[in-house]
Amino acid sequence: MKAWLECMIRADRPATASPACTYRPVTAPPSPADAHRLMPADRALALLNAAAALERVAPQLDWPGEASPAARLLSAERDPGLRLVAALARAAIEFLAGPERERLRACAAPRRVRYFLKDHGLQEWCKPSCGNRARAARHYRRQRAADAG
């Protein structure tokens, strides 16, 4: 399946800014409200990978007594900003490499720049008020067209 990567990292922001990239099937385009601001996929991937590499981490296994084992990442990085950016980048990479990415959609409401995970087959908006906004805009367009014609 043909696909692309769209990123909310803007060209005017530093590489250390928190990335929010999404893998999108061709049938689900980016939000029209922000599509013109998205950077090329190869640059977005490079920035995402660079942000994830800002912090060296080592996996640690915790297994307290009778409880279930848990994995965590141990870091020697002292700068909390770098730790946050790297953690967000790693989370984005995990999300993009996982099955949940297929549910990611751009909200179809007018002038809306929000993305959401689709819960059911007919869902087009991130929340009900966006659906109301879209229906009101459609009604307004029809009224203007009827008044003009």
Side-chain angles (χ1 to χ4, degrees), residues 5 8 18 23 32 43 58-59 86 92 98 112 119 122 137 140:
L5 181 80
M8 298 297 294
S18 60
Y23 173 92
R43 182 161 178 233
R112 189 66 157 174
D119 289 329
L122 299 176
Y140 180 73

Side-chain angles (χ1 to χ4, degrees), residues 7-10 13-21 47-48 51 54 81 84-89 92:
C7 274
M8 298 297 294
I9 302 173
R10 306 240 166 59
R13 295 179 67 189
T16 56
S18 60
C21 300
L47 285 173
L48 180 63
L54 288 174
L84 176 63
V85 169
L88 289 172

Side-chain angles (χ1 to χ4, degrees), residues 67-126:
S68 297
R72 64 184 176 103
L73 296 177
L74 190 62
S75 172
E77 178 61 55
R78 297 288 175 222
D79 182 356
L82 283 180
R83 283 198 322 262
L84 176 63
V85 169
L88 289 172
R90 285 192 309 272
I93 289 169
E94 268 185 49
F95 175 78
L96 295 173
E100 291 292 304
R101 74 170 183 260
E102 298 297 330
R103 295 178 38 220
L104 190 67
R105 298 290 184 270
C107 184
R111 297 179 309 279
R112 189 66 157 174
V113 184
R114 186 173 280 184
Y115 295 83
F116 66 96
L117 293 179
K118 189 173 183 174
D119 289 329
H120 55 81
L122 299 176
Q123 186 177 1
E124 296 180 47
W125 304 292
C126 62

